[in-house]
Amino acid sequence: MASSSNKEIQGSRSTDSSSNGSPEVPDSVASFYHADLDKVQRKLSGVHVQMFAIAGVIGTGLFLGLGQLLVTTGPLGVLLVFLLVGSVAFASIVSVTEMAVFAPVSGSFSHYAARWVDPALGFAVGWNYFYTCAITLPAEITAAAVLIRFWDHTSNHVSIYITVFIAAVYIVNILGLRSFGHTEVFFATLKLMLVIGLIIGGLVINLGGGPDHTRHGFEYWKHPGPLVSSLEPGALGRFLGLILGIIYAAFAMCGMEIITLAAAETRNPRNTMINAMRTVFFRIFVCYVLTGLIVGMLIPSNDPALFKKTGNAGQSPFVLVFNRAGVKTLPHIVNAVVLTSAFSSANGMLYSASRLLFALGVQAQAPKFITTVSRNGLPYVAITIGGLFSSLAFLNVNISSGNVFSWFVNLSAVGGLLNWLMIGITYLRFYYGLKAQGLERHGGYRSVFQPYAGMYVVFWSAIFILVSGISVFWRFNGPDFVAAYINLPVFALLYVGWKIFKRTKILPLSQLDFFTGIPSLEETEEKGILERPRGMQKIRQFV
C-alpha cells in the first residue's frame, strides 16, 4: 500500500496534468520544461538494451587499452586500478539508473542536470557528453586501424581501412533503430564469447594445457614484477604508475552509463533499465577484473609486442595470450573478433552522440534543425553531424597511431570522468531535493548505497581528473598536456557562458520539480509488464 508521501506524489502529478501547466519556475528555465522530449519513438526491445548494457561499451578500451595499462602499472597494478575505477563506475551507474527509472526521457543526465541543478549545467553536461562520445568514435576507428596491421604491416592502406569503417558505422546508424539494435546484439554476443573464451583458454594455458605445455602460475608477477615504476624509480615510481594507469582504466569503463540514453527509445524503459542495472557487477568483475588477472598471468609487462604510446603498431593482449602459447590460427580469430568490437563500440558512440545532440536541439541548446527526424522517428541530421568527428581518425595517416590513440584516450577519458562527476552532483541534488520536499524514494530501483555512492563518485572523479595529466609535470609535452586538461576550461566556458547568456539560477531544493513532463507508468510500460505481480509493484507505488 502506498505511503502518504506516495499519495502526495500522485496527487501532485494529477493536479499538474489537470491544470495543463508547469510549476512556477523562473523564465530562464520555463522553455526547458515545455520542451517536447519524446519526438523519437520507442523501438528498442529489452533484448537490444540488455546486450547493449552488458557489452555495448566493452571495446578497444579493454581489448587494446589493457595492453597499455599492463605496460604502465604491471599485473597487480591492473587489478588495483580496475577495482578502484570500477567501484566509481558502479557508484555512478547506480546513481544515474535511479534517476532514469524516475524520469525516462530524452537527454538523460543532461536533462537531469538542467532540471535538478542548473540549466547552465545541463547545457555544459550535454555538450560535454556529446563531445566525449563524438571523440571516442575516431578513437575506436584508430584502434581498428592498429588491429588491422596484425595482418597488413604496410601503412599505405590505412586511409582505405578508415574510410570503410566510417562508411559502415554511418550505414548501420542511418538504417534505423532496429538495424542498430540487431547489430549490437550480434557483436555484443561475440564480445562476451571472446571474454569468456579468454578466461577459460587463459586458465588452460596457465596450467600447462597449451601447445608449449608450460605452467605459468604467477611467474610474471615475480619477473619483471607485480608493479611497474613510471617517471621515477622505486616506490614513488610504482605509485605514479598506478596513477598513470587510471586514465586507461577510465577510458575502458567510462560510458557504462550510456545505457540510460536509450530510455526514451526503449519499450518498457523503467523495467528495462532495472534489469540492465543487474548486470553491472558482472560487467565490471568478469569483463575487467577477471580478464585483467588472466592477461597479467600470461603476458609480462615488458613484452615489446604490447600496444604502447610510441610506435605505429601493436597487438591486443588478447591476441598475444595465444600467440605466446604457440596456438596457431586462434590469434587470427581473436584479432578478428577484437576488430568487430571496435566497430561495435564505434556504432554505440555514434548512436549516443547523435541522441545527445538531438536532446540538446530539443531543449533549445543547439540549432533547431538538428531535431529534424524522419517519418520513422530517426534523428538523421544529428547522426550525420555526430559522425563528422570520425574523420579525425585520418590523423593516423601522417602521425604515429600510438600517439593518436593516446590523445583520444585522454580526451575521451577526462570527458567521461567529468560526466561521472556531474552525475554524482546531480544525484545528490535529486536525493536531497526529494528529502527536502518530504517525498520518499520509492521506485522500481533504489540503491541502498545512497547517498554515499553519489558522494563517492564526486570525490574520486574529481581526484581522477586532477591527476589525469600528471606525467606532463615530469616530462612536459604540449599535445599531451592539452589532451589531458583541455576539457576543463571548455566545460567551464560552456557553463559560465550559458549562465550569463540565459541568466539561469540554481533553485533551492524545496523548489525542484519532480513532476512536470515525466511520463506516467501507463505511458511507458506495456500492459503485460504492468500486470506482473512483482517487479512493477514498487514502480506503481512510486509513479
mmCIF file of all heavy atoms in Angstrom, residues 398-416:
data_model
loop_
_atom_site.group_PDB
_atom_site.id
_atom_site.type_symbol
_atom_site.label_atom_id
_atom_site.label_comp_id
_atom_site.label_asym_id
_atom_site.label_seq_id
_atom_site.Cartn_x
_atom_site.Cartn_y
_atom_site.Cartn_z
ATOM 1 N N ASN A 398 49.288 10.384 -41.142
ATOM 2 C CA ASN A 398 50.557 11.104 -41.081
ATOM 3 C C ASN A 398 51.223 11.095 -39.711
ATOM 4 O O ASN A 398 52.359 11.539 -39.572
ATOM 5 C CB ASN A 398 50.349 12.561 -41.522
ATOM 6 C CG ASN A 398 49.926 12.669 -42.973
ATOM 7 O OD1 ASN A 398 50.454 11.970 -43.834
ATOM 8 N ND2 ASN A 398 48.950 13.523 -43.237
ATOM 9 N N ILE A 399 50.510 10.639 -38.669
ATOM 10 C CA ILE A 399 51.052 10.652 -37.312
ATOM 11 C C ILE A 399 51.022 9.238 -36.754
ATOM 12 O O ILE A 399 50.157 8.433 -37.117
ATOM 13 C CB ILE A 399 50.232 11.595 -36.408
ATOM 14 C CG1 ILE A 399 50.183 13.005 -37.009
ATOM 15 C CG2 ILE A 399 50.825 11.661 -34.998
ATOM 16 C CD1 ILE A 399 49.303 13.963 -36.237
ATOM 17 N N SER A 400 51.955 8.921 -35.878
ATOM 18 C CA SER A 400 52.013 7.608 -35.244
ATOM 19 C C SER A 400 50.665 7.258 -34.629
ATOM 20 O O SER A 400 50.088 8.038 -33.883
ATOM 21 C CB SER A 400 53.086 7.611 -34.149
ATOM 22 O OG SER A 400 52.902 6.527 -33.274
ATOM 23 N N SER A 401 50.161 6.069 -34.953
ATOM 24 C CA SER A 401 48.858 5.653 -34.423
ATOM 25 C C SER A 401 48.894 5.532 -32.909
ATOM 26 O O SER A 401 47.882 5.725 -32.243
ATOM 27 C CB SER A 401 48.445 4.311 -35.043
ATOM 28 O OG SER A 401 49.424 3.316 -34.769
ATOM 29 N N GLY A 402 50.078 5.222 -32.348
ATOM 30 C CA GLY A 402 50.194 5.150 -30.902
ATOM 31 C C GLY A 402 49.932 6.492 -30.254
ATOM 32 O O GLY A 402 49.233 6.585 -29.243
ATOM 33 N N ASN A 403 50.491 7.571 -30.812
ATOM 34 C CA ASN A 403 50.271 8.909 -30.272
ATOM 35 C C ASN A 403 48.827 9.347 -30.442
ATOM 36 O O ASN A 403 48.223 9.923 -29.534
ATOM 37 C CB ASN A 403 51.205 9.915 -30.949
ATOM 38 C CG ASN A 403 52.614 9.849 -30.404
ATOM 39 O OD1 ASN A 403 52.806 9.648 -29.214
ATOM 40 N ND2 ASN A 403 53.590 9.989 -31.263
ATOM 41 N N VAL A 404 48.262 9.087 -31.613
ATOM 42 C CA VAL A 404 46.881 9.494 -31.888
ATOM 43 C C VAL A 404 45.928 8.784 -30.938
ATOM 44 O O VAL A 404 45.036 9.398 -30.351
ATOM 45 C CB VAL A 404 46.510 9.195 -33.358
ATOM 46 C CG1 VAL A 404 45.023 9.464 -33.597
ATOM 47 C CG2 VAL A 404 47.354 10.035 -34.300
ATOM 48 N N PHE A 405 46.126 7.477 -30.763
ATOM 49 C CA PHE A 405 45.275 6.718 -29.852
ATOM 50 C C PHE A 405 45.392 7.262 -28.428
ATOM 51 O O PHE A 405 44.390 7.391 -27.724
ATOM 52 C CB PHE A 405 45.674 5.240 -29.895
ATOM 53 C CG PHE A 405 44.798 4.358 -29.052
ATOM 54 C CD1 PHE A 405 43.515 4.041 -29.457
ATOM 55 C CD2 PHE A 405 45.265 3.822 -27.861
ATOM 56 C CE1 PHE A 405 42.703 3.222 -28.683
ATOM 57 C CE2 PHE A 405 44.468 3.011 -27.078
ATOM 58 C CZ PHE A 405 43.182 2.701 -27.498
ATOM 59 N N SER A 406 46.599 7.601 -28.000
ATOM 60 C CA SER A 406 46.800 8.130 -26.653
ATOM 61 C C SER A 406 46.083 9.468 -26.465
ATOM 62 O O SER A 406 45.485 9.713 -25.409
ATOM 63 C CB SER A 406 48.299 8.300 -26.376
ATOM 64 O OG SER A 406 48.522 8.811 -25.087
ATOM 65 N N TRP A 407 46.122 10.335 -27.467
ATOM 66 C CA TRP A 407 45.416 11.622 -27.364
ATOM 67 C C TRP A 407 43.918 11.396 -27.212
ATOM 68 O O TRP A 407 43.267 12.010 -26.366
ATOM 69 C CB TRP A 407 45.690 12.472 -28.601
ATOM 70 C CG TRP A 407 47.113 12.897 -28.756
ATOM 71 C CD1 TRP A 407 48.064 12.962 -27.769
ATOM 72 C CD2 TRP A 407 47.746 13.319 -29.964
ATOM 73 N NE1 TRP A 407 49.253 13.399 -28.297
ATOM 74 C CE2 TRP A 407 49.095 13.632 -29.631
ATOM 75 C CE3 TRP A 407 47.334 13.457 -31.286
ATOM 76 C CZ2 TRP A 407 50.016 14.074 -30.589
ATOM 77 C CZ3 TRP A 407 48.241 13.895 -32.238
ATOM 78 C CH2 TRP A 407 49.564 14.202 -31.889
ATOM 79 N N PHE A 408 43.367 10.518 -28.045
ATOM 80 C CA PHE A 408 41.937 10.246 -27.974
ATOM 81 C C PHE A 408 41.558 9.627 -26.625
ATOM 82 O O PHE A 408 40.493 9.910 -26.074
ATOM 83 C CB PHE A 408 41.501 9.322 -29.116
ATOM 84 C CG PHE A 408 41.469 9.993 -30.466
ATOM 85 C CD1 PHE A 408 41.804 9.298 -31.612
ATOM 86 C CD2 PHE A 408 41.098 11.318 -30.591
ATOM 87 C CE1 PHE A 408 41.763 9.906 -32.863
ATOM 88 C CE2 PHE A 408 41.053 11.948 -31.828
ATOM 89 C CZ PHE A 408 41.390 11.237 -32.973
ATOM 90 N N VAL A 409 42.420 8.754 -26.104
ATOM 91 C CA VAL A 409 42.164 8.141 -24.803
ATOM 92 C C VAL A 409 42.046 9.217 -23.731
ATOM 93 O O VAL A 409 41.116 9.213 -22.918
ATOM 94 C CB VAL A 409 43.284 7.141 -24.437
ATOM 95 C CG1 VAL A 409 43.243 6.796 -22.952
ATOM 96 C CG2 VAL A 409 43.154 5.875 -25.268
ATOM 97 N N ASN A 410 43.001 10.163 -23.699
ATOM 98 C CA ASN A 410 42.971 11.229 -22.696
ATOM 99 C C ASN A 410 41.753 12.116 -22.852
ATOM 100 O O ASN A 410 41.068 12.424 -21.865
ATOM 101 C CB ASN A 410 44.251 12.068 -22.789
ATOM 102 C CG ASN A 410 45.414 11.450 -22.054
ATOM 103 O OD1 ASN A 410 45.593 11.636 -20.857
ATOM 104 N ND2 ASN A 410 46.203 10.674 -22.774
ATOM 105 N N LEU A 411 41.462 12.547 -24.071
ATOM 106 C CA LEU A 411 40.320 13.425 -24.304
ATOM 107 C C LEU A 411 39.013 12.745 -23.908
ATOM 108 O O LEU A 411 38.156 13.337 -23.247
ATOM 109 C CB LEU A 411 40.275 13.831 -25.775
ATOM 110 C CG LEU A 411 41.372 14.784 -26.261
ATOM 111 C CD1 LEU A 411 41.366 14.865 -27.783
ATOM 112 C CD2 LEU A 411 41.202 16.172 -25.652
ATOM 113 N N SER A 412 38.867 11.487 -24.297
ATOM 114 C CA SER A 412 37.642 10.761 -24.022
ATOM 115 C C SER A 412 37.501 10.427 -22.538
ATOM 116 O O SER A 412 36.427 10.590 -21.954
ATOM 117 C CB SER A 412 37.616 9.468 -24.850
ATOM 118 O OG SER A 412 36.485 8.693 -24.539
ATOM 119 N N ALA A 413 38.604 9.978 -21.923
ATOM 120 C CA ALA A 413 38.545 9.563 -20.523
ATOM 121 C C ALA A 413 38.242 10.735 -19.599
ATOM 122 O O ALA A 413 37.410 10.625 -18.694
ATOM 123 C CB ALA A 413 39.847 8.887 -20.116
ATOM 124 N N VAL A 414 38.902 11.870 -19.805
ATOM 125 C CA VAL A 414 38.652 13.034 -18.952
ATOM 126 C C VAL A 414 37.228 13.547 -19.157
ATOM 127 O O VAL A 414 36.548 13.935 -18.200
ATOM 128 C CB VAL A 414 39.686 14.146 -19.216
ATOM 129 C CG1 VAL A 414 39.348 15.389 -18.405
ATOM 130 C CG2 VAL A 414 41.088 13.658 -18.850
ATOM 131 N N GLY A 415 36.760 13.528 -20.396
ATOM 132 C CA GLY A 415 35.368 13.907 -20.643
ATOM 133 C C GLY A 415 34.409 12.980 -19.927
ATOM 134 O O GLY A 415 33.412 13.416 -19.350
ATOM 135 N N GLY A 416 34.704 11.667 -19.946
ATOM 136 C CA GLY A 416 33.861 10.709 -19.240
ATOM 137 C C GLY A 416 33.891 10.897 -17.732
ATOM 138 O O GLY A 416 32.868 10.762 -17.061
#
